[in-house]
Amino acid sequence: MSDYPEFVRYAASIVPSERQLKWQETEFYAFMHYGINTYTDQEWGNGNEDPELFNPTELDCRQWAKLCKLSGMKGLILTAKHHDGFCLWPSKYTDHSVKSSKWKDGKGDVVAECAAACKEFGIKFGIYVSPWDRHEATYGSGEAYNQFFRNQLTEVLTNYGELFCVWFDGACGEGPNGKKQEYDWESYYELIRKLQPNATINITGPDVRWCGNEAGVCRKSEWSVVPYWHSTHAVIEAKSQQDVSKPPKKINPTDLDLGSRKQIKNCNKLIWYPAEVDVSIRKGWFYHKDEDYTVKPLSKLMDIYYNSVGANASFLLNIPPMPNGKINERDVETLLSMGAQLEIDFRENLAEDSIMQDNRHLDENHTGQHILNDDLESYWHSGDNPEGAELILDLGDDYDIDKIVLSEHIRTGQQIEEFALYAMKNNKWVKLADETVIGYKRICRFKEIRAQYFKLKIKKARCFATISRFECY
Ligand code: FUL
């Protein structure tokens, strides 16, 4: 039995909250950047835009939600208010909203239409509300703005049903001489917990962290257990976008490793803080006609999917509606082929109903055989001697396999630090993958191989190891 230092035992004991577990299952979901910028052709509005400009002629939130569903997404986050302060719902606390627009004679509510469409198509609904508000006069005055923001939050948190996520941007382009608002984050969080207890608070918040760039890249080892200071407001704000012309394209080189033993060794407080990869299907976040030719190709989107959902992060893909209120056919086509590709890639799990043996387990309720069903709550547990533990899968016959999907039972934490996968070829184990973390999900892709036996070997872990999913495609 290995002897683990105290800090490793502590790290192995950190677990997600129920709301984080639910969010994790959302995996792939849409961002919809839509608002006054859609009509002024801008990325960041300055707050002086005339609300009358907002005038979709064919707003179709059902098209948005249906497209998300067909693309394999499980949720949608709408920019209810971006940095320009224009609200997509008729807020009582400002006139800078849809109620001052021509659309539906000022009687419309995009948030309500979008929430209803998500419900109809069976996907989750979330909202983005920008704390940075360039229109509101009280912005920069301290408590008066905090109260205004809480009032607006209360509206969106109470009037549109269950939200799976509230997304707070850390961006602020005021610069050193601009307005300085001291956000009362704790009071915002308290309100969200009270009114939407199941919603995660993403990015400038305690539940889900930003992957650190807008290019769709995540770390090789994306740990969900990290030092607590990654969730502090000052740190998040400092890393957020400060200039509209400089979207963050790369992870800061000093941030490439957040959760290895080296990073957590001297930290007395660790938290469960999983990563989200946010990226736009086009060049910008809002729709611009001259970016119609920048729609990312299917291959690029699939790569991002595998490198995020398949590497212990979630994938938040932005699809910006056009001024008429619909999604452009280029984006639609690409997303429909993405949905079809995902169906093909994960059509039949060949490991289901097979035999899984192990060389050790905690007890009879946690043997290898427990990981081949759909139930993520039934899992294999190594017992307190994980290094060198092996799970051997017998498919019963030879099959062509090019993907293996693994999950840890994250309700018990994240422990696996290094693992390898093998297939049996001519009575020899051939290595297919040699990786680090697994976490909620790791999809290992390799050159197609025809084999009957596959093996997972745990090379290094924190105190013990669990596996709740082992799928072959
Ligand atoms: C950034 C914002 O400034 C962009 O406009 C966009 O909303 C993106 C998701 O976050 O920080």
Side-chain angles (χ1 to χ4, degrees), residues 218-268:
C218 75
R219 296 166 181 79
K220 179 168 163 47
S221 309
E222 206 56 90
W223 277 97
S224 295
V225 178
V226 299
Y228 80 97
W229 51 263
H230 289 292
S231 73
T232 56
H233 310 130
V235 170
I236 298 167
E237 276 173 39
K239 287 181 192 165
S240 298
Q241 193 173 354
Q242 325 262 333
D243 182 339
V244 68
S245 64
K246 292 192 186 122
K249 291 284 176 221
K250 275 192 187 151
I251 298 177
N252 191 325
T254 56
D255 277 349
L256 285 171
D257 169 18
L258 302 184
S260 71
R261 290 194 190 193
K262 191 169 154 226
Q263 298 298 324
I264 60 171
K265 191 170 174 163
N266 298 314
C267 180
N268 57 10

Tab-separated table of all heavy atoms in Angstrom, residues 218-268:
chain	number	residue	atom	x	y	z
A	218	CYS	N	-8.078	23.515	-24.353
A	218	CYS	CA	-7.943	23.332	-22.909
A	218	CYS	C	-6.628	22.629	-22.611
A	218	CYS	O	-5.871	22.285	-23.506
A	218	CYS	CB	-9.171	22.685	-22.276
A	218	CYS	SG	-9.371	20.947	-22.536
A	219	ARG	N	-6.345	22.503	-21.336
A	219	ARG	CA	-5.039	21.964	-20.919
A	219	ARG	C	-4.944	20.464	-21.179
A	219	ARG	O	-5.958	19.784	-21.208
A	219	ARG	CB	-4.831	22.228	-19.423
A	219	ARG	CG	-4.751	23.682	-19.106
A	219	ARG	CD	-4.898	23.957	-17.621
A	219	ARG	NE	-4.824	25.391	-17.412
A	219	ARG	CZ	-5.842	26.230	-17.625
A	219	ARG	NH1	-7.013	25.764	-17.993
A	219	ARG	NH2	-5.685	27.514	-17.461
A	220	LYS	N	-3.740	19.979	-21.270
A	220	LYS	CA	-3.541	18.542	-21.431
A	220	LYS	C	-4.102	17.822	-20.202
A	220	LYS	O	-4.737	16.790	-20.310
A	220	LYS	CB	-2.048	18.247	-21.609
A	220	LYS	CG	-1.748	16.778	-21.755
A	220	LYS	CD	-0.314	16.549	-22.216
A	220	LYS	CE	0.155	15.106	-21.986
A	220	LYS	NZ	-0.772	14.082	-22.428
A	221	SER	N	-3.862	18.407	-19.039
A	221	SER	CA	-4.375	17.810	-17.804
A	221	SER	C	-5.306	18.819	-17.157
A	221	SER	O	-4.847	19.743	-16.491
A	221	SER	CB	-3.238	17.496	-16.840
A	221	SER	OG	-2.256	16.751	-17.507
A	222	GLU	N	-6.592	18.660	-17.386
A	222	GLU	CA	-7.562	19.640	-16.871
A	222	GLU	C	-8.096	19.114	-15.539
A	222	GLU	O	-9.069	18.364	-15.483
A	222	GLU	CB	-8.654	19.836	-17.924
A	222	GLU	CG	-9.376	21.151	-17.923
A	222	GLU	CD	-8.489	22.401	-18.056
A	222	GLU	OE1	-8.210	22.860	-19.188
A	222	GLU	OE2	-8.090	22.926	-17.007
A	223	TRP	N	-7.446	19.515	-14.462
A	223	TRP	CA	-7.869	19.076	-13.126
A	223	TRP	C	-9.113	19.830	-12.682
A	223	TRP	O	-9.242	21.031	-12.911
A	223	TRP	CB	-6.740	19.335	-12.109
A	223	TRP	CG	-5.724	18.248	-12.107
A	223	TRP	CD1	-4.530	18.226	-12.765
A	223	TRP	CD2	-5.826	16.991	-11.425
A	223	TRP	NE1	-3.888	17.035	-12.547
A	223	TRP	CE2	-4.669	16.262	-11.720
A	223	TRP	CE3	-6.793	16.406	-10.594
A	223	TRP	CZ2	-4.429	14.975	-11.214
A	223	TRP	CZ3	-6.568	15.134	-10.086
A	223	TRP	CH2	-5.395	14.434	-10.397
A	224	SER	N	-10.029	19.121	-12.025
A	224	SER	CA	-11.195	19.803	-11.446
A	224	SER	C	-10.905	20.230	-10.011
A	224	SER	O	-11.650	21.004	-9.437
A	224	SER	CB	-12.421	18.883	-11.470
A	224	SER	OG	-12.770	18.622	-12.810
A	225	VAL	N	-9.839	19.700	-9.438
A	225	VAL	CA	-9.454	20.081	-8.074
A	225	VAL	C	-8.257	21.026	-8.184
A	225	VAL	O	-7.192	20.635	-8.661
A	225	VAL	CB	-9.081	18.828	-7.244
A	225	VAL	CG1	-8.642	19.231	-5.837
A	225	VAL	CG2	-10.254	17.854	-7.194
A	226	VAL	N	-8.469	22.270	-7.775
A	226	VAL	CA	-7.419	23.298	-7.934
A	226	VAL	C	-7.356	24.178	-6.681
A	226	VAL	O	-8.298	24.201	-5.892
A	226	VAL	CB	-7.670	24.192	-9.180
A	226	VAL	CG1	-7.665	23.381	-10.464
A	226	VAL	CG2	-8.982	24.967	-9.064
A	227	PRO	N	-6.263	24.939	-6.512
A	227	PRO	CA	-6.204	25.867	-5.388
A	227	PRO	C	-7.361	26.863	-5.422
A	227	PRO	O	-7.759	27.320	-6.503
A	227	PRO	CB	-4.859	26.575	-5.583
A	227	PRO	CG	-4.038	25.598	-6.357
A	227	PRO	CD	-5.005	24.902	-7.271
A	228	TYR	N	-7.895	27.198	-4.249
A	228	TYR	CA	-9.106	28.027	-4.150
A	228	TYR	C	-8.942	29.397	-4.805
A	228	TYR	O	-9.903	29.993	-5.291
A	228	TYR	CB	-9.498	28.217	-2.674
A	228	TYR	CG	-8.664	29.280	-1.995
A	228	TYR	CD1	-9.132	30.591	-1.863
A	228	TYR	CD2	-7.380	28.999	-1.568
A	228	TYR	CE1	-8.336	31.574	-1.304
A	228	TYR	CE2	-6.583	29.981	-1.010
A	228	TYR	CZ	-7.070	31.268	-0.886
A	228	TYR	OH	-6.282	32.242	-0.367
A	229	TRP	N	-7.698	29.928	-4.820
A	229	TRP	CA	-7.545	31.308	-5.293
A	229	TRP	C	-7.846	31.485	-6.775
A	229	TRP	O	-8.057	32.596	-7.242
A	229	TRP	CB	-6.183	31.898	-4.904
A	229	TRP	CG	-4.984	31.055	-5.259
A	229	TRP	CD1	-4.319	30.192	-4.442
A	229	TRP	CD2	-4.316	30.995	-6.522
A	229	TRP	NE1	-3.284	29.586	-5.107
A	229	TRP	CE2	-3.256	30.068	-6.387
A	229	TRP	CE3	-4.509	31.624	-7.751
A	229	TRP	CZ2	-2.397	29.761	-7.433
A	229	TRP	CZ3	-3.649	31.317	-8.799
A	229	TRP	CH2	-2.617	30.403	-8.624
A	230	HIS	N	-7.959	30.374	-7.504
A	230	HIS	CA	-8.373	30.519	-8.912
A	230	HIS	C	-9.807	31.032	-9.015
A	230	HIS	O	-10.225	31.504	-10.060
A	230	HIS	CB	-8.237	29.188	-9.651
A	230	HIS	CG	-6.804	28.811	-9.887
A	230	HIS	ND1	-5.992	29.508	-10.746
A	230	HIS	CD2	-6.034	27.845	-9.349
A	230	HIS	CE1	-4.776	28.981	-10.728
A	230	HIS	NE2	-4.782	27.973	-9.887
A	231	SER	N	-10.578	30.922	-7.921
A	231	SER	CA	-11.976	31.397	-7.964
A	231	SER	C	-12.131	32.784	-7.335
A	231	SER	O	-13.251	33.267	-7.200
A	231	SER	CB	-12.891	30.400	-7.241
A	231	SER	OG	-12.699	30.484	-5.847
A	232	THR	N	-11.046	33.422	-6.964
A	232	THR	CA	-11.197	34.748	-6.345
A	232	THR	C	-11.410	35.812	-7.439
A	232	THR	O	-10.850	35.723	-8.535
A	232	THR	CB	-9.976	35.121	-5.475
A	232	THR	OG1	-8.814	35.032	-6.290
A	232	THR	CG2	-9.833	34.184	-4.284
A	233	HIS	N	-12.220	36.804	-7.097
A	233	HIS	CA	-12.626	37.774	-8.121
A	233	HIS	C	-11.459	38.528	-8.730
A	233	HIS	O	-11.410	38.751	-9.934
A	233	HIS	CB	-13.633	38.773	-7.534
A	233	HIS	CG	-14.737	38.077	-6.836
A	233	HIS	ND1	-15.155	38.376	-5.572
A	233	HIS	CD2	-15.474	37.019	-7.234
A	233	HIS	CE1	-16.119	37.555	-5.222
A	233	HIS	NE2	-16.324	36.727	-6.210
A	234	ALA	N	-10.526	38.923	-7.879
A	234	ALA	CA	-9.405	39.721	-8.385
A	234	ALA	C	-8.619	38.924	-9.427
A	234	ALA	O	-8.243	39.461	-10.483
A	234	ALA	CB	-8.499	40.127	-7.234
A	235	VAL	N	-8.407	37.645	-9.156
A	235	VAL	CA	-7.643	36.809	-10.091
A	235	VAL	C	-8.419	36.634	-11.402
A	235	VAL	O	-7.867	36.773	-12.497
A	235	VAL	CB	-7.314	35.430	-9.447
A	235	VAL	CG1	-6.749	34.459	-10.461
A	235	VAL	CG2	-6.353	35.619	-8.285
A	236	ILE	N	-9.731	36.380	-11.284
A	236	ILE	CA	-10.534	36.180	-12.502
A	236	ILE	C	-10.577	37.473	-13.320
A	236	ILE	O	-10.375	37.465	-14.541
A	236	ILE	CB	-11.971	35.723	-12.156
A	236	ILE	CG1	-11.916	34.390	-11.425
A	236	ILE	CG2	-12.818	35.599	-13.418
A	236	ILE	CD1	-13.219	33.984	-10.774
A	237	GLU	N	-10.807	38.584	-12.642
A	237	GLU	CA	-10.900	39.854	-13.360
A	237	GLU	C	-9.592	40.197	-14.065
A	237	GLU	O	-9.580	40.654	-15.208
A	237	GLU	CB	-11.298	40.978	-12.400
A	237	GLU	CG	-12.813	41.028	-12.209
A	237	GLU	CD	-13.255	42.009	-11.130
A	237	GLU	OE1	-12.653	43.101	-11.032
A	237	GLU	OE2	-14.183	41.664	-10.400
A	238	ALA	N	-8.485	39.947	-13.390
A	238	ALA	CA	-7.182	40.279	-13.977
A	238	ALA	C	-6.933	39.491	-15.264
A	238	ALA	O	-6.290	39.982	-16.199
A	238	ALA	CB	-6.081	40.004	-12.968
A	239	LYS	N	-7.479	38.278	-15.340
A	239	LYS	CA	-7.243	37.451	-16.530
A	239	LYS	C	-8.260	37.716	-17.623
A	239	LYS	O	-8.122	37.248	-18.742
A	239	LYS	CB	-7.331	35.974	-16.149
A	239	LYS	CG	-6.141	35.505	-15.347
A	239	LYS	CD	-6.294	34.043	-15.023
A	239	LYS	CE	-5.276	33.644	-13.984
A	239	LYS	NZ	-5.582	32.369	-13.378
A	240	SER	N	-9.359	38.419	-17.291
A	240	SER	CA	-10.433	38.608	-18.264
A	240	SER	C	-10.074	39.664	-19.303
A	240	SER	O	-9.130	40.434	-19.136
A	240	SER	CB	-11.714	39.018	-17.539
A	240	SER	OG	-12.103	37.994	-16.667
A	241	GLN	N	-10.921	39.706	-20.325
A	241	GLN	CA	-10.654	40.603	-21.454
A	241	GLN	C	-10.797	42.076	-21.048
A	241	GLN	O	-11.785	42.473	-20.436
A	241	GLN	CB	-11.653	40.276	-22.567
A	241	GLN	CG	-11.308	40.903	-23.885
A	241	GLN	CD	-12.227	40.404	-24.995
A	241	GLN	OE1	-13.044	39.525	-24.789
A	241	GLN	NE2	-12.073	40.985	-26.175
A	242	GLN	N	-9.822	42.895	-21.441
A	242	GLN	CA	-9.838	44.312	-21.075
A	242	GLN	C	-9.944	45.208	-22.309
A	242	GLN	O	-10.091	46.410	-22.182
A	242	GLN	CB	-8.532	44.702	-20.346
A	242	GLN	CG	-7.944	43.643	-19.449
A	242	GLN	CD	-8.309	43.850	-18.010
A	242	GLN	OE1	-8.545	44.968	-17.613
A	242	GLN	NE2	-8.377	42.784	-17.231
A	243	ASP	N	-9.818	44.594	-23.472
A	243	ASP	CA	-9.757	45.394	-24.687
A	243	ASP	C	-10.479	44.606	-25.784
A	243	ASP	O	-10.141	43.452	-26.047
A	243	ASP	CB	-8.255	45.570	-25.035
A	243	ASP	CG	-8.051	46.428	-26.273
A	243	ASP	OD1	-9.005	46.552	-27.071
A	243	ASP	OD2	-6.941	46.948	-26.447
A	244	VAL	N	-11.475	45.254	-26.396
A	244	VAL	CA	-12.292	44.528	-27.368
A	244	VAL	C	-11.479	44.023	-28.565
A	244	VAL	O	-11.806	43.000	-29.167
A	244	VAL	CB	-13.501	45.394	-27.823
A	244	VAL	CG1	-13.050	46.587	-28.638
A	244	VAL	CG2	-14.524	44.570	-28.587
A	245	SER	N	-10.377	44.699	-28.852
A	245	SER	CA	-9.603	44.272	-30.024
A	245	SER	C	-8.616	43.153	-29.678
A	245	SER	O	-7.893	42.672	-30.532
A	245	SER	CB	-8.842	45.463	-30.603
A	245	SER	OG	-7.909	45.910	-29.658
A	246	LYS	N	-8.596	42.753	-28.397
A	246	LYS	CA	-7.635	41.702	-28.030
A	246	LYS	C	-8.312	40.516	-27.354
A	246	LYS	O	-8.175	40.302	-26.149
A	246	LYS	CB	-6.581	42.285	-27.083
A	246	LYS	CG	-5.689	43.293	-27.764
A	246	LYS	CD	-4.495	43.623	-26.885
A	246	LYS	CE	-3.696	44.737	-27.530
A	246	LYS	NZ	-3.545	45.905	-26.692
A	247	PRO	N	-9.069	39.716	-28.130
A	247	PRO	CA	-9.673	38.539	-27.513
A	247	PRO	C	-8.591	37.546	-27.075
A	247	PRO	O	-7.603	37.359	-27.804
A	247	PRO	CB	-10.543	37.953	-28.632
A	247	PRO	CG	-10.175	38.657	-29.880
A	247	PRO	CD	-9.342	39.850	-29.563
A	248	PRO	N	-8.718	36.968	-25.887
A	248	PRO	CA	-7.677	36.071	-25.378
A	248	PRO	C	-7.565	34.776	-26.187
A	248	PRO	O	-8.475	33.969	-26.198
A	248	PRO	CB	-8.136	35.768	-23.941
A	248	PRO	CG	-9.340	36.609	-23.702
A	248	PRO	CD	-9.850	37.097	-24.996
A	249	LYS	N	-6.451	34.629	-26.876
A	249	LYS	CA	-6.295	33.482	-27.781
A	249	LYS	C	-5.511	32.327	-27.164
A	249	LYS	O	-5.528	31.217	-27.667
A	249	LYS	CB	-5.564	33.933	-29.063
A	249	LYS	CG	-6.405	34.862	-29.926
A	249	LYS	CD	-7.480	34.096	-30.690
A	249	LYS	CE	-8.397	34.982	-31.483
A	249	LYS	NZ	-9.804	34.600	-31.426
A	250	LYS	N	-4.758	32.652	-26.108
A	250	LYS	CA	-3.893	31.603	-25.552
A	250	LYS	C	-4.050	31.517	-24.043
A	250	LYS	O	-4.338	32.525	-23.395
A	250	LYS	CB	-2.433	31.976	-25.807
A	250	LYS	CG	-1.918	31.575	-27.132
A	250	LYS	CD	-0.417	31.739	-27.104
A	250	LYS	CE	0.176	31.517	-28.465
A	250	LYS	NZ	1.396	32.282	-28.625
A	251	ILE	N	-3.793	30.337	-23.503
A	251	ILE	CA	-3.760	30.216	-22.047
A	251	ILE	C	-2.459	30.860	-21.595
A	251	ILE	O	-1.400	30.634	-22.190
A	251	ILE	CB	-3.782	28.731	-21.623
A	251	ILE	CG1	-5.081	28.070	-22.089
A	251	ILE	CG2	-3.613	28.595	-20.110
A	251	ILE	CD1	-5.192	26.582	-21.802
A	252	ASN	N	-2.536	31.679	-20.563
A	252	ASN	CA	-1.343	32.292	-19.999
A	252	ASN	C	-0.319	31.183	-19.679
A	252	ASN	O	-0.659	30.212	-19.005
A	252	ASN	CB	-1.797	33.000	-18.709
A	252	ASN	CG	-0.740	33.886	-18.179
A	252	ASN	OD1	0.440	33.587	-18.286
A	252	ASN	ND2	-1.177	34.990	-17.599
A	253	PRO	N	0.928	31.312	-20.178
A	253	PRO	CA	1.899	30.228	-19.977
A	253	PRO	C	2.083	29.824	-18.510
A	253	PRO	O	2.367	28.668	-18.213
A	253	PRO	CB	3.202	30.805	-20.538
A	253	PRO	CG	2.797	31.930	-21.414
A	253	PRO	CD	1.461	32.422	-20.963
A	254	THR	N	1.867	30.752	-17.593
A	254	THR	CA	2.043	30.383	-16.174
A	254	THR	C	0.834	29.600	-15.647
A	254	THR	O	0.840	29.126	-14.526
A	254	THR	CB	2.216	31.648	-15.299
A	254	THR	OG1	1.060	32.478	-15.531
A	254	THR	CG2	3.472	32.408	-15.633
A	255	ASP	N	-0.202	29.486	-16.485
A	255	ASP	CA	-1.431	28.808	-16.044
A	255	ASP	C	-1.630	27.446	-16.703
A	255	ASP	O	-2.728	26.909	-16.683
A	255	ASP	CB	-2.652	29.668	-16.423
A	255	ASP	CG	-2.905	30.747	-15.406
A	255	ASP	OD1	-2.284	30.689	-14.338
A	255	ASP	OD2	-3.720	31.643	-15.704
A	256	LEU	N	-0.581	26.933	-17.315
A	256	LEU	CA	-0.768	25.695	-18.070
A	256	LEU	C	-1.038	24.492	-17.175
A	256	LEU	O	-1.615	23.500	-17.585
A	256	LEU	CB	0.441	25.433	-18.970
A	256	LEU	CG	0.463	26.338	-20.204
A	256	LEU	CD1	1.774	26.206	-20.949
A	256	LEU	CD2	-0.716	26.037	-21.134
A	257	ASP	N	-0.583	24.581	-15.936
A	257	ASP	CA	-0.822	23.491	-14.988
A	257	ASP	C	-1.469	24.082	-13.746
A	257	ASP	O	-0.886	24.931	-13.083
A	257	ASP	CB	0.526	22.840	-14.654
A	257	ASP	CG	0.413	21.876	-13.490
A	257	ASP	OD1	-0.706	21.448	-13.161
A	257	ASP	OD2	1.469	21.551	-12.903
A	258	LEU	N	-2.701	23.677	-13.476
A	258	LEU	CA	-3.392	24.248	-12.306
A	258	LEU	C	-3.515	23.261	-11.151
A	258	LEU	O	-3.723	23.671	-10.016
A	258	LEU	CB	-4.809	24.720	-12.678
A	258	LEU	CG	-4.963	25.764	-13.787
A	258	LEU	CD1	-6.421	26.170	-13.928
A	258	LEU	CD2	-4.107	26.988	-13.510
A	259	GLY	N	-3.439	21.961	-11.474
A	259	GLY	CA	-3.829	21.024	-10.418
A	259	GLY	C	-2.880	19.872	-10.122
A	259	GLY	O	-3.242	18.964	-9.372
A	260	SER	N	-1.655	19.881	-10.705
A	260	SER	CA	-0.744	18.768	-10.424
A	260	SER	C	-0.301	18.834	-8.963
A	260	SER	O	-0.537	19.820	-8.274
A	260	SER	CB	0.482	18.856	-11.328
A	260	SER	OG	1.281	19.948	-10.897
A	261	ARG	N	0.382	17.800	-8.514
A	261	ARG	CA	0.846	17.785	-7.114
A	261	ARG	C	1.701	19.004	-6.803
A	261	ARG	O	1.627	19.576	-5.717
A	261	ARG	CB	1.654	16.515	-6.826
A	261	ARG	CG	0.784	15.288	-6.805
A	261	ARG	CD	1.503	14.104	-6.187
A	261	ARG	NE	0.712	12.895	-6.416
A	261	ARG	CZ	0.905	11.735	-5.819
A	261	ARG	NH1	1.885	11.618	-4.932
A	261	ARG	NH2	0.157	10.703	-6.083
A	262	LYS	N	2.515	19.415	-7.799
A	262	LYS	CA	3.381	20.575	-7.594
A	262	LYS	C	2.546	21.824	-7.286
A	262	LYS	O	2.900	22.644	-6.443
A	262	LYS	CB	4.183	20.779	-8.889
A	262	LYS	CG	5.303	21.747	-8.769
A	262	LYS	CD	6.175	21.657	-10.011
A	262	LYS	CE	6.872	22.981	-10.223
A	262	LYS	NZ	6.809	23.449	-11.591
A	263	GLN	N	1.421	21.961	-7.999
A	263	GLN	CA	0.584	23.163	-7.840
A	263	GLN	C	-0.208	23.174	-6.534
A	263	GLN	O	-0.538	24.233	-6.019
A	263	GLN	CB	-0.416	23.280	-9.007
A	263	GLN	CG	0.217	23.441	-10.359
A	263	GLN	CD	1.043	24.711	-10.456
A	263	GLN	OE1	0.699	25.738	-9.891
A	263	GLN	NE2	2.165	24.625	-11.148
A	264	ILE	N	-0.548	21.998	-6.046
A	264	ILE	CA	-1.437	21.972	-4.866
A	264	ILE	C	-0.691	21.741	-3.560
A	264	ILE	O	-1.252	21.916	-2.486
A	264	ILE	CB	-2.533	20.880	-5.008
A	264	ILE	CG1	-1.905	19.495	-5.145
A	264	ILE	CG2	-3.436	21.183	-6.198
A	264	ILE	CD1	-2.926	18.366	-5.067
A	265	LYS	N	0.578	21.385	-3.695
A	265	LYS	CA	1.349	20.971	-2.519
A	265	LYS	C	1.308	21.972	-1.368
A	265	LYS	O	1.089	21.606	-0.222
A	265	LYS	CB	2.802	20.755	-2.961
A	265	LYS	CG	3.614	20.085	-1.911
A	265	LYS	CD	4.949	19.668	-2.456
A	265	LYS	CE	5.664	19.153	-1.243
A	265	LYS	NZ	6.709	18.422	-1.270
A	266	ASN	N	1.514	23.244	-1.696
A	266	ASN	CA	1.595	24.226	-0.618
A	266	ASN	C	0.331	25.052	-0.456
A	266	ASN	O	0.356	26.143	0.082
A	266	ASN	CB	2.788	25.151	-0.857
A	266	ASN	CG	4.065	24.348	-0.849
A	266	ASN	OD1	4.258	23.515	0.032
A	266	ASN	ND2	4.918	24.544	-1.851
A	267	CYS	N	-0.769	24.508	-0.951
A	267	CYS	CA	-2.013	25.274	-0.849
A	267	CYS	C	-2.884	24.670	0.246
A	267	CYS	O	-3.142	23.467	0.234
A	267	CYS	CB	-2.729	25.209	-2.200
A	267	CYS	SG	-4.257	26.112	-2.177
A	268	ASN	N	-3.311	25.507	1.173
A	268	ASN	CA	-4.082	24.928	2.288
A	268	ASN	C	-5.579	24.852	2.013
A	268	ASN	O	-6.327	24.342	2.809
A	268	ASN	CB	-3.809	25.662	3.606
A	268	ASN	CG	-4.127	27.137	3.463
A	268	ASN	OD1	-4.715	27.541	2.449
A	268	ASN	ND2	-3.745	27.935	4.444
